[in-house]
Amino acid sequence: MNRVRLRDLGLSIGRYETGKYNAITDIPGVMVGHVTLSEQIAEDRAIRTGVTAILPHPDNLFREKVLGSCHVINGFGKTVGTIQLQELGTIESPILLTNTLSVPAVLEGTIRYLLDQNLEIGDTTGTVNVIVGECNDGYLNDIRGLHVRPGHARQAIQSAKSGVVEEGCVGAGTGMSCLGYKGGIGTSSRIAAFGQRQYTIGALVLSNFGKKADLRLPGGGVLPVSSPDPDKEKTPDGSIMIILATDAPLSERQLGRIAKRAAFGLSRTGSYAAHGSGDIVIAFSTAHRIPHRPEPHQDTLPYAFLREDGEWMSRLFEMTAEAVEEAIWNSLCMASTTVGQKGRVREAIPYHILLAGRV
């Protein structure tokens, strides 16, 4: 049968409304692109990997940065660019996701893309801070083959579009596993009123964590019993990359607070951030653009931020947790059974588990 999203099964998460696409692209200007690599290259070798690009806006990100922050739930990860993000609070490149050993290639490809866009980088101005996140897809993918090349990063960026986001076994999610089933890319969004305005929070996840016995039902229902068919092979604890976007006018400090709340949506699905799990959150707001070179007469840059009202911030926190949880379920619901490296199989999660609470 065709794979469908969680809400197509009649299940929903939380109490807030979703955006038109129920995706991170419900934030105006945000775009997502994928490059999927899937090929059988020998009897026991399979390429099941790719690259996913998230663009905060469609214009020149180096020259018009956005405010951002990051949060490390558990730091068993190999991300690039988060140190400067945490220090300066701005994002000046597309955000790229891939497998663990392909981070250098994706980094190079994104740097070359930005160098072509901005001839001043490394010449009349400083270098550029590229953000790349990863998860280990070595269970299904020939990860030692280093099949992702720099050009794939450029292709993912250039293919990025608004609207419907492909989910499941696409892009960086092609070879990922989640809660003992096939995982990958998932997304969701939430909308709520804040005074006279309405703001959206969107989440995109690269899910690659947990075992069948960890799984909890959508929405916190009756807990399932442990799987009678546990994983036959010991696999790494896994990881997740969580990207959050909003059009709410938040400061980098407020975005850091939002990023921390992603952990609650993650935990509702069954994750406890195991020892070997790299659980990283990157959050940004599209409400303001920070010029790389302000006008010479600009000694200050005037920006307005959402008031730190308890009710409003708590609303954003709840929206974040809901969007992250549903994005993870969508990554599972949309992924299809995949045969990969050494003939290993990750089955698509059977829908009756989500509907009836059986594993």
Side-chain angles (χ1 to χ4, degrees):
M1 62 182 296
N2 292 331
R3 303 298 290 176
V4 298
R5 308 181 83 193
L6 185 72
R7 287 179 182 250
D8 296 323
L9 298 175
L11 300 171
S12 61
I13 299 296
R15 58 178 176 168
Y16 288 99
E17 296 292 326
T18 71
K20 177 180 179 180
Y21 300 105
N22 191 16
I24 195 170
T25 49
D26 286 319
I27 291 81
V30 175
M31 305 166 70
V32 177
H34 302 293
V35 167
T36 300
L37 304 178
S38 184
E39 181 183 349
Q40 195 73 32
I41 54 176
E43 185 177 351
D44 63 345
R45 294 182 63 205
I47 302 172
R48 302 286 186 266
T49 194
V51 183
T52 294
I54 302 96
L55 280 61
H57 64 67
D59 302 317
N60 191 312
L61 277 159
F62 181 74
R63 295 176 185 169
E64 295 184 279
K65 311 173 198 306
V66 297
L67 292 175
S69 186
C70 60
H71 175 62
V72 178
I73 301 170
N74 193 62
F76 208 109
K78 319 299 186 291
T79 56
V80 172
T82 53
I83 293 176
Q84 182 172 312
L85 171 58
Q86 194 64 28
E87 183 70 20
L88 301 184
T90 56
I91 292 175
E92 60 184 18
S93 81
I95 301 165
L96 279 294
L97 305 176
T98 190
N99 75 65
T100 308
L101 297 186
S102 294
V103 168
V106 169
L107 176 62
E108 179 184 345
T110 308
I111 289 173
R112 290 186 179 277
Y113 170 82
L114 291 166
L115 290 177
D116 289 344
Q117 268 199 329
N118 305 276
L119 299 180
E120 67 271 28
I121 292 176
D123 184 9
T124 58
T125 191
T127 57
V128 62
N129 186 57
V130 173
I131 297 175
V132 183
E134 55 75 33
C135 292
N136 183 352
D137 60 11
Y139 184 76
L140 292 175
N141 175 49
D142 176 33
I143 195 169
R144 289 176 55 87
L146 305 179
H147 300 289
V148 173
R149 304 313 307 146
H152 294 130
R154 180 186 292 268
Q155 291 173 31
I157 295 168
Q158 293 176 330
S159 71
K161 62 183 187 301
S162 56
V164 175
V165 176
E166 291 181 87
E167 296 172 289
C169 308
V170 294
T174 304
M176 302 300 172
S177 304
C178 186
L179 294 167
Y181 295 100
K182 185 66 187 70
I185 297 292
T187 188
S188 185
S189 68
R190 293 295 184 274
I191 295 177
F194 294 79
Q196 301 301 310
R197 302 292 300 273
Q198 181 173 270
Y199 296 122
T200 304
I201 283 186
L204 182 142
V205 302
L206 176 62
S207 67
N208 191 55
F209 66 90
K211 300 175 175 60
K212 289 181 180 179
D214 301 331
L215 187 146
R216 300 294 180 264
L217 292 179
V222 178
L223 300 182
V225 297
S226 297
S227 171
D229 182 26
D231 296 327
K232 297 178 181 179
E233 298 183 58
K234 182 173 176 55
T235 57
D237 288 330
S239 301
I240 187 169
M241 289 295 308
I242 301 173
I243 313 301
L244 300 173
T246 184
D247 55 0
L250 302 179
S251 69
E252 60 272 46
R253 180 186 58 78
Q254 290 172 319
L255 287 165
R257 298 189 72 197
I258 294 291
K260 292 176 182 178
R261 270 59 186 191
F264 294 93
L266 173 62
S267 68
R268 291 173 185 173
T269 65
S271 171
Y272 50 87
H275 164 73
S277 184
D279 309 309
I280 315 295
V281 188
I282 296 168
F284 63 87
S285 169
T286 62
H288 303 298
R289 295 194 185 185
I290 318 300
H292 180 71
R293 282 200 171 116
E295 295 297 326
H297 65 276
Q298 287 185 287
D299 295 326
T300 61
L301 297 174
Y303 298 111
F305 300 117
L306 201 66
R307 72 185 192 217
E308 202 91 23
D309 180 279
E311 179 184 353
W312 283 14
M313 290 306 295
S314 294
R315 189 174 304 156
L316 288 168
F317 295 161
E318 185 175 4
M319 292 164 66
T320 298
E322 287 186 11
V324 170
E325 181 184 2
E326 187 164 342
I328 293 169
W329 292 125
N330 281 336
S331 75
L332 283 155
C333 286
M334 290 296 288
S336 55
T337 297
T338 300
V339 180
Q341 182 78 346
K342 299 181 179 179
R344 296 168 180 153
V345 179
R346 275 286 184 248
E347 294 181 356
I349 191 168
Y351 292 143
H352 71 78
I353 290 176
L354 302 176
L355 294 169
R358 295 190 296 269
V359 293

